[in-house]
Amino acid sequence: VCIHRVRSCSSIRFIKSKYVCVFDKSALKFSHQQRLFRTSAVSRGQIVQFKLSDIGEGITEVTVKEWYIKEGDSVSQFDSICEVQSDKASVTITSRYDGIIRKLHYNLDEIAYVGKPLVDIEIDASKGVAPEEDVVETPPMSHEEHTHQEIKGHKTLATPAVRRLAMENNIKLSEVVGTGKDNRILKEDILNYLAKQTGAILPPSPKAEIIPPLPKSETVPAAPKDKAREVPVPVSRPIVFSGKDKTEPVTGFQKAMVKTMSAALKIPHFGYCDEIDLTQLVQLREELKPLAQIRGVKLSFMPFFIKAASLGLLQYPILNASLDESCQHVTYKASHNIGVAMDTEQGLIVPNVKNVQVCSVFEIASELNRLQSLGSAGQLGTNDLTGGTFTLSNIGTIGGTYTKPVILPPEVAIGALGKIQVLPRFNGKGEVFKAQIMNVSWSADHRIIDGATMARFSNLWKSYLENPASMLLDLK
Amino acid sequence: MVLRSSLKNYLQLSCILRTPKAGLRSTTSGGLIIQSISNDVYQNLAVEDWIHDHMNLENQQVLFLWRNSPAVVIGRHQNPWQECNLRLLRQKNIKLARRRSGGGTVYHDLGNINLTFFTTRKKYERMENLKLVVKALKALRPQLDVHVTDRYDILLDRQYKISGTAAKLGRATAYHHCTLLCNADKFVLSSVLKSPYKGLKSNATPSVPASVKNLFEDDPGLTCEMLLGAIAEEYAMHHQIDHRITLINPADEAVLPGINDKTKELQTWEWVYGKTPKFSVSTCFNMVYKGSVLDVKVDMDVKHGRIETCNIDLPEQWLPPVLCSELVKSLTGSKLCPNETTALATTLLRLCPQDDELHSRWNLLCENVKMLM
């Protein structure tokens, strides 16, 4: 229809009356195109019907499987337009023109015909541009780099004239901040970019592989000669940052975590922290590690922490309890199913070791190995992830000292372990010695747990770990 | 897998395969035969992508030979739920890959060889390539009854499919690749290529099932190495090029700059599952709970591999409606993936009243919903 309009307007005799006439009609019918169709552009933009080119092997029909662009998008020559399929061959159709997509002739899964129009593209009349005098010493870019630029999925919008200007000056479009509509790069933006580059010497790219020139000032080795005389005056430059905000929906597992954590915050938390001297435990573990290795199990510190916690829970069972929704009843859980926080691809997952109260340290270690390998593969099962009664989080493997852990409902307590540091401490004789110190941060539900209980539990747990031999007395 | 043969010399590829305009400086002009030293399906598919995107094929053709450890490869526009038994794949640790060419689903293992013929778009000619393969097979074993059909399959003994074909055409280059069954595990092949998922409605390209046979069954003396060698010889003769095979390491960034990014992209969930065309699942199943049988109806719309809309119909009051709607709300937007569902279902369980009965019902429902994935 656009073509018809152009044709009728090119007839000189009727230009004035018919032009006005046609335009009025168009204002009513094609209002959505009005926004993009400027009055002065009637003679400038030409709609070209881009036909589906020959696929080969005598194929006449293909099925449109995926569109890479939509109506209104700006495309450059060689940009991918769509993916079509014919008889086991998948074909990427690329644009022959620079311009704006005005119409898609097919929907997904429709049959498209070779030789028939695929899309309508409005071609911009491109004008020649005189090359700039200040040529920046950057490595030459391939043609492809200029014609289809994508910054992490965002297409760089720029007219062909602007693209040519950039190409002639060896500028990568992704380095330029666009100030036009939708971050479109305008000629002014290229000129501004060039102005900033004047006087700077950019390092050459080390390999044939395209690496963008570093824009940071510390890599600029020399200043031009005329500046040597003057005291350099700091020029306030606007901070150029061409990143874009990215919004994603919160889905799946993340959504569930949002709900859980919101519920967790309704629990009145109190914290209790302490430091544990693990010097003896470190030594003990060194002795036991090879023994466990022989049996095929990797022994970390966690099995000791977990077993000691269970021994403590035997004395202070309220920490292994659950408060019902109405806060009317407390259920003391018989099993110590101690959860271990794990950082996986999906996020924070907390599988638990079941019935720690009847497990040996070795059995706990073995079970942890199993859970860790399943966790890193993202394949933990329902049984491993449910039924936890108490949780330990060894955030210290990543770092940190004291933290404020959040209780995982329906539990009432959680402990977070910081990293083990070598620190100077005083022994009984008043001498300074090298101690292996770890910090623990407990959080508990203040509705049913009081500070004294938490402190006593922590002291007991601490005593087991500071003097591992004492665990022998209470092991069942 | 390095081929040992006194007839062939192997050149270690150094800086030969290079960037856009440079093209390929091969030992002889006109063509190149390369073979992957890797059995990783993602790495090998990435090599195809790399050659397609970066090599200048104006004056030469390339033949790429590769084999994979057990993997199922679906076509560009296919639906993995429709094509294979994903549960079995996970159990047996068989990889799932989506290639960029069209066509149907195939099973690869070390008893199957893959051949990719790279040419310019103009010189794209599948029939010629397949006839070359048949000629090579006949030269190796004249008594083999193999021929090419007009569907671009190669049949053995007039009825068994031993090779399937697919192709990818770009702006200036194209490739045609095909499989060739030498000694693959037919039992695993048929079990993984059977989809257990019911009630799927999709416009994705369907595969056409066929009876298959291994060349090994007709001639136990045949090995993959022999087949690769014969085809390379025939290709070299046909294109009048050096018959030596160049080994290529798909992890070598120096030779193939950018290859590791391509490999990573092929492994992402977004590519393998997320590129599935929109489809819907409408199915019902029975759950047995404490002696009674319950009918459950599930309807889902899946787009980009994620659950766009979801509806679960349960017998009334079997689960508190609030919980059921929580499950549906959490599933909406989530990946159609059992691991993701396990993670979100077990997390939501923390917010349910601490009732064993309730928990076992919830778990039973979730386990059954996961079976649909």
Side-chain angles (χ1 to χ4, degrees), chain B residues 165-227:
Chain B
T165 268
K168 172 94 192 82
L169 285 83
R171 189 177 41 84
T173 58
Y175 62 81
H176 157 223
H177 54 198
C178 59
T179 57
L180 191 60
L181 287 174
C182 175
N183 186 10
D185 189 333
K186 285 203 303 189
F187 180 69
V188 174
L189 186 154
S190 53
S191 56
V192 299
L193 294 183
K194 205 178 296 177
S195 166
Y197 304 104
K198 308 262 179 284
L200 296 179
K201 244 204 232 148
S202 154
N203 278 332
T205 315
S207 292
V208 176
S211 315
V212 296
K213 193 175 181 185
N214 282 307
L215 281 167
F216 172 84
E217 290 175 64
D218 264 16
D219 186 337
L222 280 175
T223 63
C224 287
E225 285 83 354
M226 293 167 76
L227 292 175

Side-chain angles (χ1 to χ4, degrees), chain A residues 347-374:
Chain A
L348 171 68
I349 304 264
V350 190
N352 57 84
V353 179
K354 299 274 191 297
N355 292 307
V356 176
Q357 75 278 7
V358 296
C359 289
S360 64
V361 171
F362 178 79
E363 283 165 349
I364 298 168
S366 170
E367 181 63 3
L368 266 184
N369 280 183
R370 183 185 74 87
L371 292 173
Q372 269 153 357
S373 59
L374 282 177

Side-chain angles (χ1 to χ4, degrees), chain A residues 269-319:
Chain A
H269 283 55
F270 77 90
Y272 177 88
C273 304
D274 205 351
E275 77 169 36
I276 323 281
D277 184 348
L278 294 181
T279 313
Q280 288 191 30
L281 184 65
V282 169
Q283 200 181 344
L284 178 64
R285 179 180 159 252
E286 280 308 305
E287 290 168 27
L288 295 177
K289 229 169 57 169
L291 292 177
Q293 199 64 49
I294 293 169
R295 294 196 216 169
V297 166
K298 199 167 153 231
L299 184 69
S300 63
F301 285 105
M302 276 310 268
F304 297 100
F305 298 152
I306 293 171
K307 189 59 184 172
S310 173
L311 292 176
L313 291 173
L314 286 173
Q315 306 301 320
Y316 301 97
I318 191 147
L319 291 161

Side-chain angles (χ1 to χ4, degrees), chain A residues 57 65-66 68 78 83 85 87-90 92 94 109 144 251 253 255 259-260 263 378 382 409-410, chain B residues 76-77 102 126 151-153 165 167-169 171 203 205 275 306 326 329 332-333 339 347 350 367:
Chain A
E57 294 181 333
K65 282 299 190 179
E66 192 173 333
Y68 294 123
F78 308 137
E83 196 77 20
Q85 183 169 254
D87 192 24
K88 309 182 195 184
S90 187
T92 308
T94 54
D109 290 319
E144 262 78 37
T251 60
F253 172 60
K255 228 196 237 183
K259 290 208 160 72
T260 314
T382 305
Chain B
R76 172 72 171 82
H77 309 287
R126 292 182 284 184
R151 275 202 79 240
Y152 306 104
D153 291 338
T165 268
K168 172 94 192 82
L169 285 83
R171 189 177 41 84
N203 278 332
T205 315
K275 279 294 184 182
R306 285 179 183 266
E326 269 306 326
K329 266 197 278 182
T332 308
N339 296 331
T347 305
R350 291 185 180 277
E367 289 303 312

Side-chain angles (χ1 to χ4, degrees), chain A residues 148-459:
Chain A
H148 48 105
Q149 294 278 348
E150 289 215 354
I151 318 169
K152 290 183 185 150
H154 300 286
K155 274 209 152 85
T156 314
L157 300 177
T159 64
V162 171
R163 287 180 191 273
R164 181 170 300 155
L165 180 60
M167 183 157 70
E168 283 164 355
N169 288 284
N170 285 322
I171 295 170
K172 200 169 181 216
L173 285 173
S174 54
E175 301 293 314
V176 182
V177 179
T179 58
K181 185 186 169 193
D182 296 331
N183 290 329
R184 201 175 285 257
I185 297 174
L186 308 173
K187 184 180 169 190
E188 291 78 6
D189 301 322
I190 303 277
L191 297 180
N192 281 333
Y193 182 85
L194 276 174
K196 287 184 193 125
Q197 300 293 335
T198 309
I201 300 167
L202 297 164
S205 173
K207 289 195 184 136
E209 181 183 15
I210 312 288
I211 297 169
L214 302 164
K216 298 197 188 89
S217 53
E218 55 257 35
T219 61
V220 176
K225 291 169 255 173
D226 48 334
K227 280 203 174 170
R229 294 176 269 127
E230 308 161 13
V231 174
V233 175
V235 176
S236 77
R237 295 175 180 178
I239 296 166
V240 171
F241 175 62
S242 52
K244 259 191 147 145
D245 286 353
K246 186 174 154 195
T247 305
E248 277 177 351
V250 174
T251 60
F253 172 60
Q254 265 185 334
K255 228 196 237 183
M257 275 304 274
V258 167
K259 290 208 160 72
T260 314
M261 286 298 138
S262 303
L265 263 289
K266 293 199 191 116
I267 303 172
H269 283 55
F270 77 90
Y272 177 88
C273 304
D274 205 351
E275 77 169 36
I276 323 281
D277 184 348
L278 294 181
T279 313
Q280 288 191 30
L281 184 65
V282 169
Q283 200 181 344
L284 178 64
R285 179 180 159 252
E286 280 308 305
E287 290 168 27
L288 295 177
K289 229 169 57 169
L291 292 177
Q293 199 64 49
I294 293 169
R295 294 196 216 169
V297 166
K298 199 167 153 231
L299 184 69
S300 63
F301 285 105
M302 276 310 268
F304 297 100
F305 298 152
I306 293 171
K307 189 59 184 172
S310 173
L311 292 176
L313 291 173
L314 286 173
Q315 306 301 320
Y316 301 97
I318 191 147
L319 291 161
N320 197 52
S322 188
L323 187 61
D324 72 358
E325 281 184 349
S326 55
C327 302
Q328 301 261 336
H329 295 97
V330 177
T331 309
Y332 294 84
K333 301 279 180 177
S335 301
H336 298 171
N337 299 336
I338 300 189
V340 178
M342 265 183 208
D343 177 36
T344 67
E345 270 182 354
Q346 278 158 330
L348 171 68
I349 304 264
V350 190
N352 57 84
V353 179
K354 299 274 191 297
N355 292 307
V356 176
Q357 75 278 7
V358 296
C359 289
S360 64
V361 171
F362 178 79
E363 283 165 349
I364 298 168
S366 170
E367 181 63 3
L368 266 184
N369 280 183
R370 183 185 74 87
L371 292 173
Q372 269 153 357
S373 59
L374 282 177
S376 51
Q379 286 173 354
L380 285 163
T382 305
N383 197 40
D384 293 326
L385 291 170
T386 54
T389 57
F390 183 88
T391 300
L392 284 177
S393 169
N394 195 358
I395 191 77
T397 52
I398 300 174
T401 50
Y402 292 106
T403 79
K404 187 176 185 287
V406 177
I407 299 167
L408 295 165
E411 298 166 21
V412 293
I414 183 169
L417 313 168
K419 63 179 185 277
I420 302 176
Q421 300 171 278
V422 178
L423 295 170
R425 289 286 180 270
F426 288 104
N427 65 9
K429 295 181 213 157
E431 296 160 340
V432 175
F433 74 102
K434 221 165 83 163
Q436 306 267 11
I437 302 290
M438 181 186 76
N439 304 116
V440 62
S441 309
W442 302 104
S443 289
D445 185 338
H446 219 330
R447 294 173 294 184
I448 55 165
I449 304 187
D450 55 40
T453 309
M454 193 70 241
R456 291 192 184 105
F457 167 84
S458 180
N459 287 343

Side-chain angles (χ1 to χ4, degrees), chain B residues 53-74:
Chain B
D53 289 346
H54 296 301
M55 268 185 78
N56 181 352
L57 296 166
E58 274 304 317
N59 297 315
Q60 68 203 329
Q61 313 218 355
V62 177
L63 173 65
F64 176 42
L65 310 167
W66 43 298
R67 285 195 287 162
N68 297 320
S69 52
V72 169
V73 183
I74 58 174

Side-chain angles (χ1 to χ4, degrees), chain B residues 295-347:
Chain B
D295 285 320
V296 183
K297 191 168 183 305
V298 176
D299 293 284
M300 291 189 287
D301 282 328
V302 183
K303 189 172 170 190
H304 301 315
R306 285 179 183 266
I307 302 169
E308 222 181 18
T309 66
C310 175
N311 191 48
I312 302 178
D313 266 327
L314 282 173
E316 249 192 80
Q317 299 304 322
W318 191 74
L319 262 186
V322 153
L323 279 184
C324 204
S325 84
E326 269 306 326
L327 179 63
V328 166
K329 266 197 278 182
S330 292
L331 283 173
T332 308
S334 165
K335 291 178 185 170
L336 190 68
C337 167
N339 296 331
E340 180 90 353
T341 307
T342 303
L344 70 88
T346 53
T347 305

